[in-house]
């Protein structure tokens, strides 16, 4: 099992990411990272597939096999992790592909180095089981829960507005507020993510109106991201980190490891093994195993960015680089 001290929860204050922040704020961190085999990995939140991947790679000692010493930080959001990357406090983070397109226009020189997923697998629009709403068109004029403005749930809510040509009120409730407010009737529907979706449907307290994993055209929803400085100064570390992370994916999706993978997911997400099995089969087994990018996937990601009001975005071709093709580390 992994040593617990190397896994931390970030306590960064929210702040605006400004050009040049990494050069002034984080020089000691950068120097420490460059002087050793340390790789500082950031993930957006605890109960999310990137955390499972990174934790699996650590517990299977895949970073060690690549000659790296991993340090995993679990942030409170993707935005906070991206800020840490810009400040030089992380070497590689998982965040939305669109964040790189927006950051490049604001002086945050970072690139997507490996594609993580091409869909919102396990994300669904749900209503209470006894709700009179049976069709997506019937949520017009209703209240729909999201975590926060600009989040993945907000993107999907706005995609629903555009795709189904309806209007409804988006209600930001935070991740912990979505299900309670749905069940008490404070909202009429909510955009929900895995494994919560599997839990509420399995418990028959909610039912699905849209499965976004199949409804939304394939596009790069999230990527592993590094700054231009780290890419230039430590390319071999980036490559080895990518190898270890995709080795973690390989371990999880290998049928011969199924029992161990289910137990890992249950432990990391603190969920029952039955729900962990759903998360494995319906989410983790669908994410990228190769890290491959296609321009059209990035272009669609930026189209979704515009749905939430992001206007100044880099050219899709500038957002990603494909030199770090994963060679998955074997467990």
């Amino acid at each position: 099992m992994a040593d617990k001290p190397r896994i931390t929860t970030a306590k960064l204050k929210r702040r605006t990411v400004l050009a040049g922040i990494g050069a002034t704020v984080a020089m000691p961190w950068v120097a420490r990272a460059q002087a050793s085999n340390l790789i500082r990995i950031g993930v957006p939140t605890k109960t999310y597939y990137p955390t499972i991947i990174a934790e699996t790679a650590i517990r299977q000692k895949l970073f060690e096999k690549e000659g790296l010493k991993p340090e995993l930080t679990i942030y409170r959001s993707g935005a906070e992790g991206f800020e840490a990357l810009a400040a030089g406090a992380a070497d590689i983070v998982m965040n939305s592909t669109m964040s790189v397109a927006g950051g490049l226009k604001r002086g945050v020189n970072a690139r997507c180095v490996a594609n993580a997923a091409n869909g919102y697998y396990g994300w669904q629009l749900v209503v209470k089981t006894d709700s009179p709403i049976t069709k997506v068109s019937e949520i017009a004029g209703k209240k729909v829960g999201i975590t926060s403005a600009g989040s993945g749930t907000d993107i999907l809510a706005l995609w629903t507005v555009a795709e189904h040509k309806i209007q409804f009120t988006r209600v930001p409730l935070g991740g912990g507020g979505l299900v309670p407010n749905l069940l008490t009737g404070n909202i009429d529907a909510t955009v929900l993510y895995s494994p919560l979706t599997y839990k509420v449907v399995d418990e028959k307290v909610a039912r699905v109106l849209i499965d976004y994993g199949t409804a939304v055209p394939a596009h790069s929803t999230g990527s592993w991201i590094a700054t231009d400085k780290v890419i230039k100064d430590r390319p071999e570390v980036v490559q080895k980190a990518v190898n270890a992370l995709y080795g973690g994916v390989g371990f999880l999706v290998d049928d011969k490891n199924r029992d161990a993978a289910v137990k890992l997911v249950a432990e990391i997400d603190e969920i029952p093994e039955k729900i962990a099995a759903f998360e494995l089969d319906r989410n983790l087994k669908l994410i990228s195993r190769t890290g491959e990018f296609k321009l059209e996937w990035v272009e669609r990601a930026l189209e979704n960015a515009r749905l939430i009001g992001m206007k100044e975005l880099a050219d899709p071709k500038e957002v990603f680089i494909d030199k770090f093709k994963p060679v998955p580390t074997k467990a």
Side-chain angles (χ1 to χ4, degrees):
M1 302 296 284
D3 296 332
K4 294 299 182 184
R6 64 181 153 195
I7 301 172
T8 59
T9 300
K11 295 182 179 178
L12 300 178
K13 292 183 178 179
R14 295 286 297 161
R15 61 192 183 279
T16 302
V17 179
L18 299 175
I21 193 170
T24 58
V25 175
M27 286 303 291
W29 289 89
V30 173
R32 182 164 68 91
Q34 291 179 342
S36 70
N37 60 351
L38 177 69
I39 178 72
R40 299 162 303 159
I41 308 150
V43 291
T45 189
K46 185 177 189 300
T47 311
Y48 197 25
Y49 76 88
T51 308
I52 297 172
I53 292 169
E55 279 269 29
T56 298
I58 289 172
R59 296 180 188 209
Q60 296 300 314
K61 301 188 182 302
L62 303 185
F63 289 100
E64 291 180 23
K65 290 183 178 180
E66 292 286 346
L68 300 178
K69 179 182 178 182
E71 180 179 277
L72 176 64
T73 299
I74 300 171
Y75 293 97
R76 294 176 296 191
S77 68
E80 188 173 85
F82 192 65
E83 289 170 0
L85 183 78
D91 299 312
I92 185 168
V93 301
M94 163 67 192
N95 198 20
S96 67
T97 301
M98 67 180 67
S99 66
V100 173
L104 284 167
K105 284 295 187 178
R106 291 160 181 80
V108 181
N109 295 316
R111 315 285 163 171
C112 300
V113 296
N115 189 32
N118 279 332
Y120 288 94
Y121 311 123
W123 295 56
Q124 298 167 344
L125 178 67
V126 302
V127 295
K128 282 203 303 182
T129 302
D130 60 359
S131 169
I133 297 172
T134 59
K135 298 183 295 186
V136 176
S137 60
E138 293 171 352
I139 64 171
K142 305 292 187 182
K143 292 183 289 186
V144 176
I146 61 170
T147 56
S148 62
S151 65
T153 54
D154 195 23
I155 292 169
L156 292 175
L158 288 167
W159 179 89
T160 304
V161 167
E163 182 71 11
H164 292 270
K165 298 178 174 56
I166 56 175
Q167 291 293 331
F168 50 76
T169 301
R170 306 188 321 280
V171 183
L173 297 166
L178 296 177
V179 174
N181 280 279
L182 178 69
L183 299 184
T184 57
N186 292 332
I187 54 176
D188 302 288
T190 187
V191 179
L192 203 60
Y193 46 85
S194 70
L196 286 175
T197 47
Y198 307 136
K199 185 174 186 293
V200 296
V201 171
D202 183 68
E203 293 174 350
K204 296 182 171 55
V205 297
R207 54 184 167 80
V208 180
L209 291 182
I210 300 176
D211 181 349
Y212 292 111
T214 56
V216 179
H219 66 283
S220 180
T221 58
S223 297
W224 295 101
I225 302 164
T227 62
D228 286 357
K229 180 172 179 56
V230 170
I231 291 168
K232 178 176 180 286
D233 295 347
R234 307 176 76 207
E236 71 288 346
V237 170
V238 175
Q239 181 65 64
K240 290 176 179 180
V242 167
N243 292 348
L245 290 166
Y246 283 82
V249 174
F251 178 87
L252 289 164
V253 303
D254 192 329
D255 287 341
K256 74 174 184 291
N257 300 325
R258 178 175 177 77
D259 290 346
V262 169
K263 290 182 185 299
L264 263 177
V265 174
E267 180 183 341
I268 294 165
D269 276 2
E270 299 179 357
I271 53 177
E273 288 191 11
K274 178 180 180 181
I275 306 303
F278 292 153
E279 175 76 349
L280 177 63
D281 294 334
R282 302 176 189 179
N283 184 8
L284 291 164
K285 288 197 174 183
L286 298 177
I287 64 177
S288 177
R289 304 184 190 188
T290 65
E292 176 191 11
F293 284 106
K294 288 185 180 179
L295 182 59
E296 65 192 76
W297 296 341
V298 177
E299 289 172 338
R300 287 188 194 133
L302 302 198
E303 288 172 9
N304 284 340
R306 294 183 182 94
L307 284 179
I308 59 171
M310 294 178 69
K311 295 179 180 179
E312 293 187 32
L313 299 170
D315 186 290
K317 294 178 182 177
E318 298 177 8
V319 171
F320 67 98
I321 56 176
D322 55 12
K323 65 182 286 186
F324 298 106
K325 291 179 169 51
V327 181
T329 315
K330 299 296 183 182

